[in-house]
C-alpha cells in the first residue's frame, strides 16, 4: 500500500541540493517516487510503509546536510480515564502520515506531537483524537510560552456530574436495599403505590444516572469496542450496562426468568457509576496538586508592566512591551522582564532562581531576571527578554517538556495494558459461563454479579497514572529546588548512574582567579593591597583583576598609578604614592635584579599546592608575596563526601597541570582524575569510562563542556540563574553544587515511587480479580459485591496519586561549607596574612 507525504526541507540553495535530496530518498528501499521543489522548499514522497518508515526518510535528508521542517504541538485530550485510553490515542496519532513521534500523558491529559510541516497540521491531529472517541482541547498559549489546559472547567463539570449522580442514586439505593433491611419502609411504600411502580422508578433514575453523568463512560467505551481496542470505559460500560439490561428485562418480561432469578440490579449499576465518578473526581483533584509546580512558576510571571516613554509612565499588558523599552519597577513589585538596570540601585530577591534568601544589590548595568522581587528602591530596567524569551519562561518550558515525556520503565505498563483489558473481558465471560453452569440456583444471579464485579474491579486506571503522576510531581518539585530536567528520561538514567565525572574549572572551582594569600613580614595587608591594587588598576590581566577584587572586597581606597608600564610575559612596573612598584613573576624580579632570598622557597610551596606566586617589590625591595588561584567552591568537599555516601565513584577532569589537579583531588577526597585534558578530550575520557561499563553523569559549567555533556549518559550543567542555555545537558542545576545531590536523590526517589506505583497497581488487580470472580466463594463464602469493586477501583487510582504526591516532601540537600583554599602548607617560612 503506497503512502504519500509532503514536507518542508530547509537548507537547499540550488539544483544540486535538490538532486542530492532526491537521490538520498530514492536510494532507500521502499521509496517509489520522489519530487523535490526548490522554489517551495518541499519534498513529495510516495513510499511503501511496510518496507520504509518515515524516520529513515528524515535521516536520509539529514545525512545530506539538509533539515526536514518539524513542528511540535501540545493538545489537551478530554475523556481519557485509563492507560488503555492514552495508549489508543497515542497509537492513532503515531499512525498519522507525517507524524514523527507522539506521546500521550494520562496525568496531564495532554498529547505532544512532533510532525512534519506540510504533511500534517493541527486540524488533522484534532480529528484523529476525535475519531478515537476523545475530545481534542486546544491549549491556550500564554505570554510566557507555557500552555495551560482548561482543567478547572473539566473539574467543575466532573463535580456537577458526581453530585447529580449521587442525588439520583440515593433514592435508588433506598428503594432497593432500604426496603430489604427495613420492613416498615417497604410497607409504607406499598401503601402509596404498588411494587412495580417503585421498580420502574428505580429503572428511570438509574437510566438517567447511566446516560447523563455516566455518558463519559458509555460513548468512548462504545467507540473503543468499534476500534477493537476496549479500555476502562468499555469495562465500566459493559458491567453497568449488563446489570441495567438484565434488570430491565426482568422488569419488562418477568415470565422469561425463574422466580428465584427475578432480581433487579439497578442499584448496582447506579452505585457503580456514582462511585467511579467520585473516584475520578478525587483523582482529578489529586492531579491538580501534581501540577502545582508549573502553576507556581507561571504565577511568578507579571501580566502588566509600567513602561516609560518620553518621561511618562504608562501601565500596559506585558504582551505590548517591545524589546529595548524601559520598564519602571517600584519597591515590592516583581520584575516583569529580563533586563539591564538603566537607572537606580536596589536590592533584588532572586531566591526563585538562586535559592539564596539574601537579596542581591543591583546597580546600573547589572542584569535582573523576570520573576525576582525588587525590595528597596525604584529601578528603571531596559527589557532584554520578554514573555517566552525570559529565563523564567525557559524554566517553565523545560518542566513542561519533562512532565510530558515518557520513561522507558513505562513501556512495561503500556505493553501489559494493551493485552490486559481484552484479557479481562475474556475472563469476565469465562466467569459468567462458569457460574452459569456450575453455580448454585439461581445460577444466573451469581454469574451476573461475578462478571460485573470482574469488569469493574479490573479497570487499569492506576497503571496508566503510575509513571506520569510521579514524573509530574518529581520534576515539578525538582524545579522548585533548582533542578531542571530537560527530558523525563534523564530521571530514570540518573537514578542508575554509578560514576560522576566533574569538570574542575568553573564547576568545583569558581572559574576565575582570586587572591588567596598575602604574605608579608614587612607591611600590613591593607597597605600592600592598596599599593598593589593602585599599580594594577592600569592593567587588564586576569591576575590584576584578582588583586583589584580583593581590594574592593576589603573597601580599600586605591590611588591611580602616576606611571604605568606593562611588561608582557613578566608583569608590570608602576609608580604609586611616589614609590616604584614591581609586580610579577620570578623572572621579572630576576630581570630587575631584585634579591628574592628566602622568598623563593615560599613561592615553591605555593606552586606545589596549585597556586600562582606573584612577587611584589617596592623601591627594589621585596615586600610581599601574593598567591593567586581559582578558589574551590566552599561546598565542593562536602559534595564529594555526599556522593561517596551514595555509593558513587567520583572522577575529575581538567586541562590544568597534573600537580595542580592532583593536589585538588587529594584535598577534596577524589581518588581518580585526568589532567592536561583539552576540551575535546573530555568527551573521550567520558567515553573511556563508558567502555569500562560505567553509567556516567558528567557535571560541567556548560560553556566548553558541551561535547562531554552530550557524550555522558546524563549531562548535568551547573548554570547561574541568569544563564540556562543548556541544550547540551539533560539536567541543569541553577543553584549551588548541593543541587546536584538533590537531582540524584530526586531521580532515585521518583524511580522508586514509580516502581511502587506499578507494583501496587498490578498487585491490586492480581489480588482482587480472583475475589471478584468468586474463586473464594465455594470454600470461604467470600465474594466481592460490584459496588465495592467500583469503590476499590477508584481507591487504587487515588492511592497511586497520593503516593506520588509524597515526592513533594523532598527537601534540598544542605552541604556544609569549607574555607575557599587550595590546600594547606606546613610551617610557612615567612609570616603571612591570609584573606
Amino acid at each position: 500500500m503506497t503512502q504519500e507525504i509532503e514536507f518542508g526541507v530547509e537548507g537547499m540553495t540550488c539544483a544540486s541540493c535538490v538532486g542530492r535530496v532526491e537521490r538520498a530518498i530514492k536510494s532507500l528501499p521502499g521509496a517509489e517516487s520522489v519530487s523535490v521543489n526548490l522554489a517551495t522548499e518541499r519534498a513529495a514522497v510516495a513510499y511503501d510503509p511496510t518496507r520504509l518508515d518515515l524516520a529513515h526518510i528524515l535521516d536520509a535528508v539529514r545525512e545530506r546536510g539538509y533539515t526536514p521542517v518539524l513542528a511540535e504541538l501540545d493538545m489537551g485530550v478530554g475523556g481519557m480515564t485509563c492507560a488503555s485510553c492514552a495508549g489508543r490515542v497515542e497509537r492513532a496519532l503515531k499512525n498519522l502520515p507525517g507524524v514523527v513521534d507522539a506521546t500521550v500523558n494520562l496525568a496531564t491529559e495532554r498529547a505532544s506531537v512532533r510532525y512534519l510541516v506540510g504533511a500534517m497540521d493541527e486540524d488533522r491531529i484534532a480529528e484523529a483524537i476525535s475519531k478515537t472517541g476523545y475530545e481534542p482541547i486546544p491549549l491556550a498559549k500564554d505570554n510566557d510560552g507555557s500552555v495551560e489546559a482548561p482543567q478547572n472547567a473539566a473539574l467543575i463539570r466532573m463535580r456537577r456530574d458526581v453530585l447529580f449522580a449521587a442525588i439520583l442514586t440515593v433514592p435508588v439505593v433506598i428503594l432497593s436495599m432500604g426496603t430489604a433491611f427495613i420492613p416498615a419502609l417497604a410497607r409504607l411504600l406499598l401503601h402509596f403505590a404498588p411494587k412495580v411502580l417503585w421498580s420502574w422508578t428505580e429503572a428511570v433514575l438509574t437510566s438517567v444516572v447511566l446516560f447523563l453523568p455516566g455518558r463519559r463512560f458509555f460513548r468512548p467505551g462504545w467507540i473503543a469496542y468499534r476500534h477493537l481496542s476496549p479500555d476502562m470505559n468499555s469495562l465500566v460500560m459493559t458491567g453497568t450496562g449488563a446489570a441495567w439490561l438484565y434488570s430491565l428485562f426482568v422488569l419488562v418480561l418477568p415470565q422469561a426468568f425463574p422466580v428465584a432469578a427475578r432480581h433487579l440490579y439497578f442499584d448496582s449499576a447506579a452505585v457503580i457509576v456514582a462511585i467511579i465518578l467520585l473516584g475520578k473526581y478525587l483523582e482529578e483533584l489529586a492531579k491538580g496538586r501534581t501540577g502545582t509546580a508549573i502553576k507556581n512558576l507561571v504565577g511568578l510571571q507579571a501580566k502588566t508592566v509600567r513602561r516609560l516613554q518620553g518621561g511618562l509612565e504608562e501601565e500596559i499588558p506585558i504582551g505590548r512591551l517591545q524589546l529595548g523599552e524601559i520598564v519602571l519597577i517600584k519597591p515590592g513589585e516583581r520584575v516583569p522582564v529580563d533586563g539591564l538596570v538603566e537607572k537606580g540601585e536596589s536590592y533584588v530577591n532572586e531566591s526563585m532562581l538562586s535559592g539564596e534568601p539574601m537579596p542581591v544589590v543591583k546597580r546600573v548595568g547589572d542584569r535582573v531576571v523576570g520573576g525576582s522581587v525588587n525590595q528597596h528602591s525604584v529601578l528603571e530596567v531596559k527589557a532584554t527578554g520578554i514573555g517566552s524569551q525570559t529565563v523564567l519562561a525557559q524554566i517553565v518550558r523545560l518542566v513542561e517538556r519533562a512532565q510530558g515525556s515518557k520513561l522507558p520503565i513505562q513501556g512495561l505498563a503500556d505493553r501489559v495494558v494493551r493485552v490486559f483489558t481484552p484479557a479481562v473481558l475474556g475472563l469476565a465471560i469465562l466467569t459468567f459461563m462458569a457460574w452459569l453452569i456450575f453455580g448454585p440456583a439461581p445460577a444466573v444471579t451469581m454469574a451476573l454479579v461475578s462478571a460485573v464485579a470482574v469488569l469493574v474491579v479490573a479497570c487499569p486506571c492506576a497503571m496508566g497514572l503510575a509513571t506520569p503522576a510521579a514524573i509530574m510531581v518529581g520534576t515539578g518539585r525538582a524545579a522548585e529546588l533548582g533542578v531542571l530536567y530537560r527530558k523525563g528520561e534523564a530521571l530514570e538514567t540518573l537514578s542508575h548512574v554509578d560514576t560522576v565525572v566533574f569538570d574542575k574549572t568553573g564547576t568545583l572551582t569558581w572559574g576565575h582567579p582570586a587572591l588567596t594569600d598575602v604574605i608579608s613580614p614587612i607591611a600590613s595587608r591593607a597597605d600592600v593591597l592598596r599599593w598593589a591594587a593602585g599599580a594594577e588598576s592600569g592593567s587588564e590581566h586576569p591576575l590584576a583583576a584578582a588583586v583589584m577584587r580583593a581590594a574592593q572586597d576589603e573597601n580599600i581606597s586605591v590611588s591611580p598609578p602616576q606611571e604605568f608600564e606593562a611588561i608582557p610575559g613578566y608583569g608590570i612596573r608602576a609608580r604609586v604614592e611616589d614609590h616604584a612598584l614591581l609586580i610579577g613573576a620570578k623572572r621579572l624580579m630576576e630581570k630587575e635584579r631584585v634579591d628574592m632570598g628566602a622568598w623563593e622557597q615560599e613561592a615553591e610551596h605555593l606552586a606545589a599546592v596549585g597556586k600562582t606566586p606573584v612577587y611584589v617589590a617596592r623601591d627594589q625591595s621585596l615586600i610581599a608575596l601574593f598567591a593567586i588561584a581559582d578558589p574551590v567552591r566552599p561546598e565542593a568537599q562536602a559534595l564529594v563526601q555526599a556522593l561517596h555516601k551514595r555509593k558513587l565513584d567520583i572522577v575529575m577532569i581538567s586541562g590544568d597541570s597534573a600537580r595542580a589537579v592532583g593536589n585538588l583531588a587529594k584535598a577534596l577526597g577524589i581518588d581518580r582524575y585526568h589532567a592536561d585534558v583539552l576540551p575535546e578530550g573530555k568527551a573521550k575520557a567520558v567515553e573511556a569510562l563508558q567502555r569500562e561499563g560505567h553509567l556516567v553523569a558528567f557535571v560541567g559549567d556548560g560553556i566548553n563542556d558541551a561535547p562531554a555533556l552530550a557524550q555522558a549518559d546524563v549531562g548535568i550543567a551547573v548554570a547561574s540563574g541568569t544563564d540556562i542555555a543548556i541544550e547540551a545537558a539533560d539536567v541543569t542545576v541553577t543553584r549551588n553544587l548541593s543541587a546536584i545531590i538533590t537531582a540524584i536523590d530526586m531521580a532515585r526517589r521518583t524511580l522508586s515511587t514509580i516502581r511502587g506505583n506499578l507494583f501496587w497497581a498490578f498487585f491490586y488487580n492480581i489480588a482482587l480479580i480472583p475475589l471478584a470472580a468468586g474463586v473464594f466463594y465455594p470454600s470461604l463464602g467470600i465474594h466481592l459485591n460490584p459496588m465495592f469493586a467500583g469503590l476499590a477501583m477508584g481507591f487504587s487510582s487515588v492511592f497511586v496519586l497520593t503516593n506520588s504526591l509524597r515526592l513533594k516532601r523532598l527537601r534540598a540537600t544542605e552541604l556544609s561549607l569549607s574555607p575557599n583554599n587550595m590546600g594547606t602548607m606546613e610551617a610557612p617560612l615567612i609570616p603571612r596574612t591570609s584573606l
Side-chain angles (χ1 to χ4, degrees):
M1 184 179 68
T2 299
Q3 187 165 300
E4 296 182 358
I5 60 167
E6 185 176 337
F7 58 92
V9 180
E10 290 182 342
M12 297 187 299
T13 57
C14 63
S16 296
C17 301
V18 171
R20 277 196 290 273
V21 174
E22 286 186 345
R23 288 192 296 273
I25 300 175
K26 283 180 179 177
S27 65
L28 299 173
E32 297 174 359
S33 67
V34 182
S35 174
V36 180
N37 189 310
L38 178 62
T40 60
E41 295 185 316
R42 297 172 85 84
V45 182
Y47 66 101
D48 182 355
T50 62
R51 300 175 57 203
L52 178 63
D53 60 34
L54 184 58
H56 287 120
I57 296 175
L58 304 185
D59 287 342
V61 174
R62 292 190 188 100
E63 286 172 4
R64 295 304 188 276
Y66 306 99
T67 305
V69 182
L70 295 174
E72 294 188 8
L73 172 68
D74 284 335
M75 181 169 287
V77 182
M80 295 191 301
T81 53
C82 68
S84 295
C85 305
R88 187 164 70 256
V89 176
E90 189 171 290
R91 289 191 296 274
L93 293 175
K94 285 182 175 179
N95 288 334
L96 291 174
V99 169
V100 177
D101 190 28
T103 58
V104 177
N105 190 311
L106 177 62
T108 61
E109 296 183 336
R110 182 178 298 181
S112 298
V113 186
R114 292 179 68 235
Y115 62 94
L116 284 167
V117 174
M120 183 53 53
D121 56 40
E122 184 174 346
D123 291 340
R124 293 169 67 186
I125 291 171
E127 183 183 356
I129 294 173
S130 295
K131 285 183 177 178
T132 57
Y134 304 97
E135 179 188 1
I137 304 173
L139 300 177
K141 185 159 286 193
D142 211 341
N143 288 325
D144 60 3
S146 65
V147 291
E148 186 175 353
Q151 292 180 331
N152 288 338
L155 198 60
I156 292 170
R157 289 197 300 270
M158 176 103 36
R159 182 169 63 237
R160 181 195 62 204
D161 286 348
V162 169
L163 291 173
F164 186 49
I167 290 170
L168 296 182
T169 299
V170 168
V172 172
V173 173
I174 292 173
L175 288 173
S176 60
M177 301 181 69
T179 54
F181 290 102
I182 307 174
L185 177 62
R187 290 193 297 270
L188 180 64
L189 292 175
L190 288 174
H191 175 74
F192 288 102
K195 183 177 181 181
V196 66
L197 182 61
W198 296 116
S199 297
W200 275 105
T201 302
E202 285 186 55
V204 171
L205 292 175
T206 302
S207 300
V208 174
V209 171
L210 262 60
F211 300 114
L212 287 182
R215 69 193 180 283
R216 65 176 63 242
F217 305 120
F218 278 71
R219 182 178 177 275
W222 175 247
I223 294 175
Y225 271 131
R226 277 172 35 203
H227 286 84
L228 302 179
S229 180
D231 60 5
M232 172 257 178
N233 297 299
S234 306
L235 298 181
V236 173
M237 182 190 79
T238 304
T240 57
W244 177 78
L245 273 176
Y246 179 87
S247 304
L248 200 60
F249 278 129
V250 169
L251 198 56
V252 175
L253 299 170
Q255 63 275 14
F257 298 85
V259 175
R262 294 175 186 173
H263 292 291
L264 300 180
Y265 295 100
F266 291 121
D267 56 338
S268 293
V271 169
I272 287 171
V273 168
I275 287 176
I276 293 177
L277 280 172
L278 176 62
K280 287 296 169 187
Y281 176 66
L282 296 176
E283 184 181 305
E284 288 297 322
L285 287 176
K287 281 183 188 177
R289 290 182 61 199
T290 64
T292 53
I294 283 285
K295 294 174 185 175
N296 291 340
L297 287 170
V298 172
L300 298 177
Q301 183 78 25
K303 302 302 180 185
T304 61
V305 295
R306 288 188 179 89
R307 182 176 62 185
L308 285 179
Q309 256 186 350
L312 298 176
E313 177 186 329
E314 179 188 12
E315 186 168 343
I316 62 171
I318 187 82
R320 287 177 50 194
L321 190 71
Q322 301 295 317
L323 289 176
E325 292 187 314
I326 305 299
V327 174
L328 184 73
I329 307 165
K330 295 183 179 180
E333 293 182 343
R334 286 200 179 275
V335 178
V337 297
D338 290 358
L340 298 173
V341 177
E342 290 283 303
K343 184 178 178 181
E345 180 177 323
S346 182
Y347 283 91
V348 175
N349 187 331
E350 295 183 336
S351 60
M352 42 76 71
L353 285 175
S354 67
E356 299 296 332
M358 294 299 293
V360 182
V361 64
K362 296 292 181 181
R363 301 182 176 92
V364 173
D366 289 344
R367 180 176 295 277
V368 292
V369 184
S372 55
V373 180
N374 179 26
Q375 291 195 330
H376 288 279
S377 305
V378 175
L379 290 176
E380 293 182 14
V381 173
K382 181 180 180 180
T384 59
I386 302 170
S388 61
Q389 303 166 335
T390 62
V391 168
L392 182 60
Q394 282 183 271
I395 292 174
V396 171
R397 286 196 299 272
L398 284 170
V399 177
E400 285 181 335
R401 188 189 306 173
Q403 291 184 343
S405 58
K406 182 173 288 190
L407 269 61
I409 194 173
Q410 193 172 344
L412 171 64
D414 290 344
R415 289 191 296 272
V416 170
V417 165
R418 289 192 67 173
V419 299
F420 184 79
T421 307
V424 167
L425 283 168
L427 185 61
I429 294 172
L430 183 63
T431 298
F432 182 84
M433 297 304 297
W435 281 112
L436 192 63
I437 296 171
F438 303 108
V444 67
T445 299
M446 190 66 177
L448 180 67
V449 169
S450 300
V452 170
V454 168
L455 289 169
V456 173
V457 82
C459 295
C461 310
M463 295 182 199
L465 292 168
T467 301
I471 294 173
M472 281 188 70
V473 180
T475 55
R477 178 58 180 158
E480 293 174 343
L481 299 177
V483 178
L484 304 174
Y485 295 92
R486 187 167 67 92
K487 49 186 179 180
E489 294 91 324
L491 269 171
E492 183 165 350
T493 308
L494 186 58
S495 70
H496 297 308
V497 297
D498 55 46
T499 303
V500 180
V501 179
F502 284 96
D503 170 57
K504 181 179 84 70
T505 305
T507 304
L508 293 174
T509 66
W510 286 111
H512 56 76
L515 185 63
T516 60
D517 299 87
V518 176
I519 305 166
S520 177
I522 299 169
S524 69
R525 181 178 71 224
D527 286 340
V528 172
L529 277 176
R530 188 177 78 251
W531 299 329
E536 295 283 18
S537 62
S539 174
E540 295 180 356
H541 195 279
L543 299 186
V547 175
M548 292 294 296
R549 276 195 300 270
Q552 289 173 358
D553 290 343
E554 297 205 11
N555 296 317
I556 295 174
S557 59
V558 175
S559 301
Q562 296 152 327
E563 297 176 10
F564 177 83
E565 180 187 0
I567 309 171
Y570 290 85
I572 66 165
R573 181 188 291 115
R575 178 167 289 275
V576 177
E577 299 178 4
D578 292 325
H579 290 278
L581 282 173
L582 291 169
I583 304 176
K586 175 182 176 182
R587 52 183 172 270
L588 176 63
M589 301 299 116
E590 292 173 339
K591 179 182 177 182
E592 297 295 328
R593 292 185 174 86
V594 176
D595 181 25
M596 289 178 283
W599 296 82
E600 286 190 74
Q601 192 172 350
E602 179 71 9
E604 290 176 2
H605 277 261
L606 291 172
V609 294
K611 300 183 180 182
T612 301
V614 177
Y615 294 85
V616 181
R618 188 171 186 254
D619 296 331
Q620 290 299 112
S621 296
L622 273 175
I623 62 167
L625 188 64
F626 288 167
I628 294 179
D630 183 6
V632 179
R633 290 179 184 261
E635 69 272 23
Q637 188 172 17
L639 169 68
V640 172
Q641 292 172 353
L643 291 173
H644 279 315
K645 286 181 181 178
R646 287 159 176 79
K647 312 298 182 185
L648 293 167
D649 296 329
I650 314 298
V651 180
M652 182 168 62
I653 298 178
S654 175
D656 290 350
S657 66
R659 184 170 66 176
V661 178
N663 278 314
L664 179 59
K666 183 179 179 181
L668 296 180
I670 297 173
D671 299 323
R672 189 172 177 182
Y673 61 88
H674 300 277
D676 298 310
V677 178
L678 296 174
E680 57 270 20
K682 295 177 183 178
K684 293 179 181 178
V686 171
E687 187 179 3
L689 288 168
Q690 290 171 323
R691 285 198 299 269
E692 293 174 11
H694 295 289
L695 201 64
V696 179
F698 181 88
V699 184
D701 60 10
I703 298 172
N704 62 352
D705 298 323
L709 289 167
Q711 174 64 42
D713 298 287
V714 179
I716 303 176
V718 179
S720 69
T722 57
D723 177 21
I724 57 167
I726 47 164
E727 288 305 312
D730 303 303
V731 182
T732 297
V733 295
T734 62
R735 301 182 182 177
N736 56 27
L737 295 181
S738 63
I740 295 171
I741 301 295
T742 303
I744 293 171
D745 287 348
M746 180 58 80
R748 291 180 173 182
R749 285 274 301 275
T750 301
L751 262 293
S752 175
T753 300
I754 290 172
R755 293 189 194 99
N757 285 348
L758 289 172
F759 170 79
W760 286 111
F762 285 122
F763 177 80
Y764 157 84
N765 281 291
I766 292 170
L768 292 188
I769 288 177
L771 183 64
V775 171
F776 303 107
Y777 184 77
S779 58
L780 302 175
I782 300 174
H783 188 237
L784 186 64
N785 186 286
M787 290 182 279
F788 290 109
L791 190 64
M793 190 266 287
F795 171 77
S796 68
S797 296
V798 175
F799 170 81
V800 163
L801 287 163
T802 305
N803 189 46
S804 299
L805 285 168
R806 291 169 58 236
L807 290 169
K808 293 175 74 71
R809 300 178 188 172
L810 185 74
R811 297 288 181 262
T813 304
E814 297 296 333
L815 298 177
S816 58
L817 303 183
S818 58
N820 281 335
N821 57 28
M822 294 290 293
T824 58
M825 296 179 288
E826 298 177 1
L829 303 174
I830 300 172
R832 71 176 64 215
T833 60
S834 296
L835 293 179

